Amino acid sequence: MIRFFKNKSINQVTKITFVSTAFIMVFLTGILFYNTYDEHIQELTKIEQEYLKSQKNHIKDETHRALRFIQYKYYQDTNTTDLDTMKAQIVEAIENMRDIRGGSGYVFIYTFEGINIADPFLKHNGGKNLIDFEDPNGKRVIKELIDISQQKEGGYVQYVWNKPTTNTLVDKISYAISFEPFG
C-alpha cells in the first residue's frame, strides 16, 4: 500500500482519499436510509393491523347492538305484535342505524336462504335472493356471511364490494351473526 502512494502526488492521494471517503459516506447513508425505511414499514404495518383490529371490533359491536335490539323487540313484542309487523318495525329501525356521512357502518339483513331483507343503501335488492352473488374475485359473499353467521359467535368475512357513496369497488370486512327465531 505504501508503494502505491509512494509514486503518487499529494494531489492524487487527496483525490483518492476524497473519493474513498465519499464512497464510504454514501454507503453508510444508504444503510441508514434503508434501516429508517424498514422501521417505518414495520411501524406502518403495525398501525394498519391495529386499525383493522379496531374496525373489526367496531363492526362487531355495532352488529351486536343491532342484534340486541332485534332480541329485545322480539321478546318484548312477541305476544302483542304479529311477526310481519314486528319484522317491518325492526327493518325500519335498523335501516336508520347507520353512518349517513361516510356510507359505511350500516347493518344489512339476509335470511338463511339468501333473501335480502334490509339494506339501507341497496333497497332495490329487497326481497331478492342473492345467495349466489359473487364479488369480482369469485367469492360467494352472501353465502359465506350466512354460513359464518350460524357459528356460535358469528364471524368476519372479507370481500370486495361496491361502496354505495362513491360507486367504487373497495375491500370490505363484515361481521355476521344469526338471530335464529327469524332465520
Side-chain angles (χ1 to χ4, degrees):
M1 188 73 141
I2 293 177
R3 186 188 297 161
F4 175 77
F5 286 115
K6 197 173 196 180
N7 295 332
K8 304 289 181 194
S9 70
I10 279 291
N11 195 19
Q12 290 173 325
V13 171
T14 302
K15 286 180 184 177
I16 292 170
T17 303
F18 178 75
V19 169
S20 298
T21 303
F23 176 76
I24 291 170
M25 292 300 290
V26 167
F27 180 74
L28 292 176
T29 302
I31 290 174
L32 178 66
F33 278 128
Y34 176 77
N35 286 340
T36 303
Y37 172 78
D38 190 49
E39 288 173 9
H40 286 296
I41 294 298
Q42 289 175 12
E43 185 66 23
L44 181 60
T45 301
K46 182 180 175 184
I47 290 169
E48 287 174 341
Q49 290 170 347
E50 288 173 3
Y51 177 75
L52 182 60
K53 182 180 177 183
S54 74
Q55 289 299 99
K56 285 173 108 176
N57 287 336
H58 176 70
I59 62 173
K60 184 177 182 179
D61 290 345
E62 288 298 306
T63 304
H64 278 274
R65 184 168 68 108
L67 180 62
R68 284 190 306 274
F69 170 74
I70 294 169
Q71 291 168 334
Y72 169 79
K73 188 81 171 147
Y74 178 77
Y75 294 114
Q76 176 84 10
D77 295 351
T78 296
N79 296 327
T80 59
T81 308
D82 69 273
L83 283 180
D84 289 336
T85 302
M86 184 188 313
K87 287 177 184 179
Q89 291 170 346
I90 289 169
V91 167
E92 181 180 356
I94 286 179
E95 285 187 342
N96 288 296
M97 293 172 44
R98 67 181 190 276
D99 178 4
I100 295 171
R101 297 159 298 164
S104 61
Y106 58 93
V107 175
F108 49 89
I109 303 172
Y110 286 84
T111 66
F112 291 155
E113 292 78 31
I115 308 289
N116 179 289
I117 302 298
D119 188 323
F121 288 101
L122 302 174
K123 291 183 183 273
H124 63 277
N125 284 336
K128 292 182 183 176
N129 188 327
L130 300 173
I131 194 115
D132 292 323
F133 173 81
E134 293 182 354
D135 74 358
N137 298 323
K139 182 175 275 201
R140 291 180 64 199
V141 176
I142 306 306
K143 172 79 169 116
E144 286 193 29
L145 286 165
I146 292 167
D147 289 347
I148 204 158
S149 79
Q150 294 173 325
Q151 294 179 8
K152 184 178 180 186
E153 296 295 320
Y156 298 95
V157 175
Q158 290 184 268
Y159 53 96
V160 176
W161 196 260
N162 186 49
K163 186 171 185 173
T165 56
T166 62
N167 201 29
T168 57
L169 292 176
V170 295
D171 291 331
K172 186 168 182 169
I173 298 174
S174 289
Y175 178 81
I177 193 161
S178 296
F179 182 65
E180 293 293 330
F182 286 161

